[in-house]
């Protein structure tokens, strides 16, 4: 099947989440970063999922598969709106700030502006109404998970839900308005990126968080009992990295119910992501062929088993609905021939990680001589150490393997890997910003299997010098990626 249009030319990109901008929002720093991409000859900005997170800050366990994180809203852009009274928009707490902004909007906005807001609420109603209810009820219940709410709210009993809608009407509208502002600001950023030739590359986890608006709204689509408790959960089996595997804890999908609905839930989910991004990575793609199913009673992933998933039926349905699927498959881990066939059937490039390539023998599938056009080559990802940090921790045997592979060269890490990624045959090469800035392991984004100290890294503009963009652009030109 034909690939998505974004792959019709060689490109390079940089991986950087919104939280890693100095401001952590969609304001001036985000636009300035697009300018840097342009100056460096990079035409893709890859980032992590954009949803509102739980307390641990992980973008892979969001409170919604559709909503945007209100922390990304730029206060400066908000204050610049014609209806705003900027002197009164200084509250440091986002919930109070948005309440004030909403009341200013209702008081001062033109009828045309109000109509745009109403149209947004109508167009996004398929997820927005459930989301604002979920967030408001969660707030009223001291941020407890939905399956610990009072039964009438947990089970969405009509009288209880209607009571919330009536008594909390303004609070619900403020939450709708918050999402409207996020999507407006995001739209401005995407328009600026696209106008400058930059594609936005998003990330869609295969599973959603148990405590999310999505699972609360449609529990029949997930492996839950009548009290909302997960009966079977997701993870990966024991491997080289972990003797007990990884127990992620997300509920799995009741695939038969998805099939009966012709995968409507997935169509809605992907529709929102395509409003945000030009290209989307699907995390843990192998789970669409079969996934590791763990009884919820098990504390580790040891006692799970592989259960088949209807990947072909799902992607056939999505392809018929959307016409094309601009998706990249995160095909790392235990990948079988069946998983590869599923990915190739729908023209989805896989991922090649240079940090995974060394220390073994010439058969390692991540070595550059095994790369193919239908792939995305990375020096490392958000789950890896920075390339410089990785190199510093290598044993002598692996270091010798790296240098023997690349031969006589005066180029040092991380630019040795950056050059390898850019000259690869992969149609897209992506570099974490930490590597472009030659930062060491203190600047790592995430350490899988840990819950503290992750997702916090931010750069500052002092880390850049005049040579960063020029050096990267020269390589992009040399290897045909500009």
């Amino acid at each position: 099947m034909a690939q998505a249009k974004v792959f019709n030319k060689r490109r390079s990109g940089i991986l950087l989440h919104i939280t890693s901008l100095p401001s952590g929002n969609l304001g001036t720093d985000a636009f300035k970063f697009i300018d840097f991409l342009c100056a460096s000859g990079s035409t893709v900005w890859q980032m992590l999922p954009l949803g509102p997170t739980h307390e641990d800050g992980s973008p892979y366990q969001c409170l919604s598969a559709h909503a945007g994180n209100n922390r990304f809203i730029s206060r400066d852009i908000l204050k610049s709106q014609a209806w705003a009274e900027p002197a009164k928009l200084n509250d440091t707490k986002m919930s109070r700030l948005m309440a004030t902004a909403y009341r200013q909007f209702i008081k001062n906005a033109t009828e045309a502006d109000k109509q745009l807001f109403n149209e947004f609420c109508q167009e996004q109603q398929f997820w927005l109404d459930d989301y604002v209810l979920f967030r408001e009820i969660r707030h009223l219940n001291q941020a407890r998970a939905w399956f610990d709410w009072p039964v009438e709210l947990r089970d969405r009993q009509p009288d209880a839900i209607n009571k919330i809608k009536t008594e909390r009407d303004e609070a619900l509208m403020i939450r709708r308005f918050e999402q409207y502002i996020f999507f407006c600001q995001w739209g401005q950023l995407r328009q600026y990126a696209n106008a400058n030739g930059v594609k936005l590359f998003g990330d869609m986890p295969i599973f959603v968080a148990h405590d999310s608006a999505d699972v609360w709204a449609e529990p029949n689509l997930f492996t839950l009992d009548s009290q909302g408790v997960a009966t079977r959960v997701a993870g990966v089996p024991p491997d080289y990295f972990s003797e007990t595997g990884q127990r992620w804890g997300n509920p799995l999908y009741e695939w038969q119910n998805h099939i009966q609905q012709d995968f409507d839930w997935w169509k809605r989910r992907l529709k929102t992501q395509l409003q945000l991004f030009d290209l989307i990575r699907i995390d843990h793609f192998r789970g669409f062929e079969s996934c590791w199913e763990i009884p919820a009673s098990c504390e580790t992933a040891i006692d799970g088993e592989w259960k088949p998933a209807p990947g072909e039926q799902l992607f056939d349905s999505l392809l018929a609905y959307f016409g094309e699927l601009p998706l990249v498959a995160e095909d790392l881990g235990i990948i079988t021939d069946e998983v590869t066939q599923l990915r190739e059937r729908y023209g989805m490039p896989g991922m090649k990680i240079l940090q995974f390539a060394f220390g073994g023998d010439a058969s390692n599938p991540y070595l550059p001589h095994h790369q193919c056009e239908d792939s995305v080559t990375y020096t490392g990802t958000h789950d890896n150490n920075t390339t410089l940090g990785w190199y510093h921790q290598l044993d002598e045997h692996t270091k010798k393997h790296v240098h023997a592979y690349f031969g006589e060269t005066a180029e040092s890490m991380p630019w040795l890997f950056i050059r390898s990624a850019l000259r690869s045959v992969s149609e897209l090469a992506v570099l974490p910003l930490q590597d472009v800035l030659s930062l060491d392991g203190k600047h790592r984004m995430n350490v899988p299997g840990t819950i503290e100290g992750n997702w916090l890294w931010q750069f500052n503009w002092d880390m850049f010098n005049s040579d960063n963009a020029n050096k990267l652009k020269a390589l992009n030109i040399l290897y045909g990626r500009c």
Side-chain angles (χ1 to χ4, degrees), residues 34 119 135-136 182 201 231 240 255 314 324 362 461:
I34 290 172
E119 289 173 0
R135 291 304 302 269
E136 187 62 19
F182 170 86
F201 186 1
T231 57
Y240 174 80
W255 282 117
L314 168 63
E324 66 175 15
W461 291 108

Side-chain angles (χ1 to χ4, degrees), residues 454-470:
N454 297 317
W455 320 112
L456 300 175
W457 180 75
Q458 289 184 313
F459 76 84
N460 63 69
W461 291 108
D462 292 340
M463 293 176 177
F464 289 72
N465 60 55
S466 59
D467 195 41
N468 293 130
N470 294 336

Side-chain angles (χ1 to χ4, degrees), residues 3 18 89 100 103 128 130 184 186 193 205 208 236 242 252 257 286 333 361-362 377 380 388 412 461:
Q3 285 182 326
I18 299 296
L89 292 175
T100 303
R103 290 164 189 148
L128 186 59
D130 285 324
C184 285
W186 185 267
V208 295
V236 288
S242 172
L252 296 165
N257 292 343
R286 74 102 56 241
D361 60 25
T377 289
L388 193 58
S412 59
W461 291 108

Side-chain angles (χ1 to χ4, degrees), residues 130-150:
D130 285 324
Y131 172 71
V132 299
L133 273 168
F134 172 82
R135 291 304 302 269
E136 187 62 19
I137 298 170
R138 196 173 188 272
H139 167 69
L140 295 172
N141 283 273
Q142 294 75 50
R144 289 201 299 271
W146 68 265
F147 39 87
D148 292 327
W149 295 348

